[in-house]
Amino acid sequence: MYQDKMYLVNKIFNNETIRTVWDTEQEKYFISVVDIVSVISESKDGRKYWNKLKQRLNSEGNETVTNCHQLKLKAKDGKYRMTDVVDIEGMFRIIESIPSKNAEPIKQWLAKLGSERIDEIFDPSISVQRSIDLYRTKGYDEKWIAKRIKGIQDRKGLTDVWKDGGITESKEYAILTNEIYKEWSGMTAKEYKKFKGLRKESLRDNMSDVEVALSDLGELATREIAKKKNPKGLNENIDVARSGGKIASNARKDLENELGESVVTTHNLLKYKYLDEKQIK
């Protein structure tokens, strides 16, 4: 399992957060076993309960455990730890091994979760609405959300143009995106995230509305120039990406001249702040 192909989309069951990951390649959900086990067993230490259950299932030769994978998920203390996850089908099998009055409600919840993807295939607006609802729960205002959703749509238009130009690998998309960022912000996406104090979090989701607008402008300009010049291969597309990024850079300079201050800041919208390991006692 490749974690860079997965996205954390936490779900809520009876006010309890269930760490849930969407795998873009397999197009399925993977769920934190210990989170579900904690809810079902009502154990004060769900991790210990799961470890004992896992040992028992292993000794019985139960294949459920062998279908578990590990992903690095964020724990309640803010640290990222390797955590057992399974798909929805595997989670049903684990639930059957736990005698609990909570089993049936969680099964219904899992069944509904599994149907989400099927529903979205027939009605794509569901996934868009889910994204909007998620941003709302995180505290974003409506204007920011509208710009972010439009930016996602515009980004898809850009990647489609890149595909027409022979760009097929995720590494190449990252290179081109970095060229746009470097032109207008002076940083790669990775450097920009570090500048804002981010690690796993989405860079775009933690930009101000001005930063988002500049990012979108750089990508829109790149798309339109690429459609006009029809670049082929990585090197030609890099030149176009730099041209698009420069247009956003000029807009940034004009705005900053009027404001008298930088519009690229260390501020992140969700106010993430990490502590070094040595700071935590």
Side-chain angles (χ1 to χ4, degrees):
M1 297 178 74
Y2 298 94
Q3 187 134 6
D4 61 341
K5 302 289 186 182
M6 299 182 175
Y7 300 91
L8 189 66
V9 285
N10 288 342
K11 300 292 182 178
I12 305 297
F13 172 77
N14 287 356
N15 297 320
E16 294 288 339
T17 298
I18 308 297
R19 288 171 295 174
T20 310
V21 177
W22 176 252
D23 186 322
T24 58
E25 282 199 338
Q26 299 187 58
E27 293 193 337
K28 62 165 63 176
Y29 286 110
F30 286 89
I31 304 154
S32 167
V33 179
V34 69
D35 291 355
I36 295 288
V37 168
S38 296
V39 171
I40 295 176
S41 65
E42 297 183 324
S43 171
K44 293 181 179 179
D45 192 337
R47 189 170 298 277
K48 185 179 290 185
Y49 188 101
W50 166 234
N51 286 336
K52 288 183 178 179
L53 176 60
K54 185 161 58 171
Q55 289 175 4
R56 177 169 67 80
L57 293 174
N58 261 326
S59 65
E60 295 173 354
N62 192 310
E63 293 183 2
T64 302
V65 177
T66 61
N67 291 328
C68 285
H69 305 279
Q70 285 202 325
L71 294 175
K72 191 171 281 188
L73 300 182
K74 189 176 182 180
K76 289 182 179 179
D77 61 6
K79 295 182 181 180
Y80 286 84
R81 296 188 178 88
M82 296 305 292
T83 306
D84 286 334
V85 298
V86 292
D87 59 17
I88 292 175
E89 185 180 351
M91 199 67 250
F92 269 106
R93 293 197 182 104
I94 290 173
I95 291 171
E96 290 172 357
S97 305
I98 305 173
S100 170
K101 66 179 185 297
N102 297 321
E104 196 55 38
I106 202 78
K107 283 181 180 179
Q108 293 175 9
W109 181 82
L110 286 168
K112 182 180 178 182
L113 184 64
S115 70
E116 281 185 5
R117 178 59 185 171
I118 297 172
D119 292 341
E120 287 171 12
I121 291 173
F122 292 100
D123 185 359
S125 66
I126 294 174
S127 61
V128 176
Q129 187 59 51
R130 185 153 55 88
S131 297
I132 292 171
D133 291 341
L134 181 59
Y135 282 130
R136 283 172 177 162
T137 60
K138 287 185 175 183
Y140 293 102
D141 63 49
E142 296 301 315
K143 288 183 179 179
W144 187 97
I145 293 172
K147 290 178 183 177
R148 183 70 179 98
I149 296 299
K150 184 178 184 303
I152 292 171
Q153 295 171 325
D154 290 338
R155 170 74 181 182
K156 180 63 168 59
L158 173 59
T159 56
D160 286 344
V161 171
W162 279 342
K163 284 180 183 177
D164 292 339
I167 304 303
T168 57
E169 297 182 12
S170 58
K171 184 178 180 180
E172 293 177 320
Y173 289 117
I175 289 171
L176 294 174
T177 301
N178 276 331
E179 291 299 330
I180 298 172
Y181 272 125
K182 283 191 292 185
E183 281 297 321
W184 75 262
S185 73
M187 296 175 280
T188 65
K190 185 176 180 180
E191 291 166 343
Y192 207 156
K193 288 179 74 170
K194 186 176 180 181
F195 178 70
K196 283 186 172 292
L198 305 172
R199 292 183 184 174
K200 298 286 186 181
E201 298 75 25
S202 165
L203 175 58
R204 289 283 184 105
D205 286 359
N206 285 282
M207 287 180 170
S208 68
D209 55 355
V210 173
E211 289 172 304
V212 168
L214 290 170
S215 297
D216 291 345
L217 176 59
E219 293 192 347
L220 280 168
T222 299
R223 185 190 71 191
E224 294 306 303
I225 296 170
K227 285 163 66 176
K228 188 73 174 179
K229 294 188 174 182
N230 195 29
K232 298 297 181 183
L234 183 60
N235 290 335
E236 290 185 12
N237 273 286
I238 284 176
D239 290 338
V240 170
R242 288 171 178 168
S243 297
K246 190 172 183 179
I247 290 171
S249 175
N250 291 335
R252 174 191 171 185
K253 289 173 184 175
D254 289 343
L255 179 57
E256 289 179 342
N257 285 337
E258 291 293 328
L259 296 175
E261 62 184 21
S262 176
V263 295
V264 175
T265 75
T266 57
H267 175 71
N268 65 69
L269 285 185
L270 299 185
K271 298 181 175 61
Y272 286 106
K273 185 177 180 181
Y274 288 94
L275 296 176
D276 293 333
E277 296 288 339
K278 60 185 178 182
Q279 293 179 274
I280 303 173
K281 298 182 180 179

